[in-house]
């Protein structure tokens, strides 16, 4: 895993149409030479494990430049989850069902602050509005789908990141 994440290889997951051949259980992301722990272990595929360190490094650099602090912890919620998009009873399987997605709630900072999507994203600069908007915009260059509070009611307290396919050539990005 290139030393960019901390975690271990897990046995294949197979649940109906959901699953993943080579899941990873990640406990920390390495950014700018530091190992930054996740609030809980997450199950992802290799693509997510590769994209996350680059994104976290950019957010970390932003904090250093603008707030003179750094990321201490990454607050996460859902990773692998065998379910449809937006928990709907019918419809397409979510990319969570293939461990190709992660929901991020916010960040703990070295200066003691906790920056959360809710209420920070639409909150004050002290609540981390600018940081979270930067995090969203930066995520849009590393992931294929980014859904935050601007997207819909399902993403008011988390930012959904995935590497899913959009468009005929799988090159379209969805950034909200
Ligand atoms: Zn999600």
């Amino acid at each position: 895993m290139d030393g960019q994440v901390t975690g271990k290889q897990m046995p294949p997951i197979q649940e109906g149409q959901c699953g993943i051949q080579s899941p990873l259980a990640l406990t920390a992301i390495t950014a700018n030479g530091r190992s930054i722990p996740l609030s809980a272990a997450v199950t992802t595929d290799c693509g997510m494990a590769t994209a996350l360190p680059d994104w976290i490094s950019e957010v970390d650099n932003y904090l250093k430049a603008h707030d003179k602090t750094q990321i201490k912890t990454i607050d996460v919620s859902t990773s692998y989850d065998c379910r449809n998009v937006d928990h709907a009873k019918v419809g397409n399987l979510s990319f969570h069902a293939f461990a190709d997605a992660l929901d991020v709630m916010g960040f703990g900072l070295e200066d003691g602050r906790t920056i959360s999507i809710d209420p920070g994203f639409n909150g004050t600069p002290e609540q981390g509005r600018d940081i979270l908007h930067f995090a969203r915009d930066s995520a849009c260059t590393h992931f294929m789908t980014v859904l935050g509070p601007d997207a819909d009611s399902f993403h008011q307290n988390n930012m959904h990141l995935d590497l899913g396919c959009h468009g005929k050539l799988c090159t379209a990005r969805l950034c909200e």
Side-chain angles (χ1 to χ4, degrees), residues 78-79 83 94 96 101-103 147 155 158-162:
T78 308
S79 54
R83 63 168 172 84
S94 165
H96 285 289
L102 176 64
D103 295 340
L147 301 173
H155 300 93
N158 71 88
M159 187 156 56
H160 168 99
L161 311 172
D162 76 47

Side-chain angles (χ1 to χ4, degrees), residues 9-110:
Q9 208 97 40
M10 303 287 282
I13 300 171
Q14 185 67 60
E15 288 186 86
Q17 293 184 61
C18 307
I20 168 169
Q21 199 54 45
S22 305
L24 303 171
L26 304 184
T27 53
I29 306 291
T30 303
N32 297 323
R34 309 187 325 279
S35 179
I36 303 176
L38 300 167
S39 59
V42 299
T43 303
T44 74
D45 62 8
C46 197
M48 289 298 289
T50 303
L52 283 163
D54 292 340
W55 174 58
I56 292 297
S57 295
E58 278 189 15
V59 178
D60 194 60
N61 284 335
Y62 177 94
L63 280 162
K64 223 178 291 179
H66 293 262
D67 290 66
K68 308 216 178 341
T69 187
Q70 295 179 312
I71 301 175
K72 190 176 183 191
T73 56
I74 304 161
D75 194 7
V76 292
S77 60
T78 308
S79 54
Y80 172 77
D81 190 12
C82 185
R83 63 168 172 84
N84 288 335
V85 171
D86 294 339
H87 296 272
K89 282 208 175 68
V90 292
N92 295 326
L93 282 170
S94 165
F95 286 104
H96 285 289
F98 308 106
D100 200 24
L102 176 64
D103 295 340
V104 175
M105 312 286 285
F107 304 98
L109 307 184
E110 292 283 3

Side-chain angles (χ1 to χ4, degrees), residues 110-126:
E110 292 283 3
D111 67 9
R113 281 186 295 162
T114 301
I115 298 297
S116 301
I117 302 283
D118 181 19
F121 195 89
N122 290 314
T124 64
E126 289 70 35

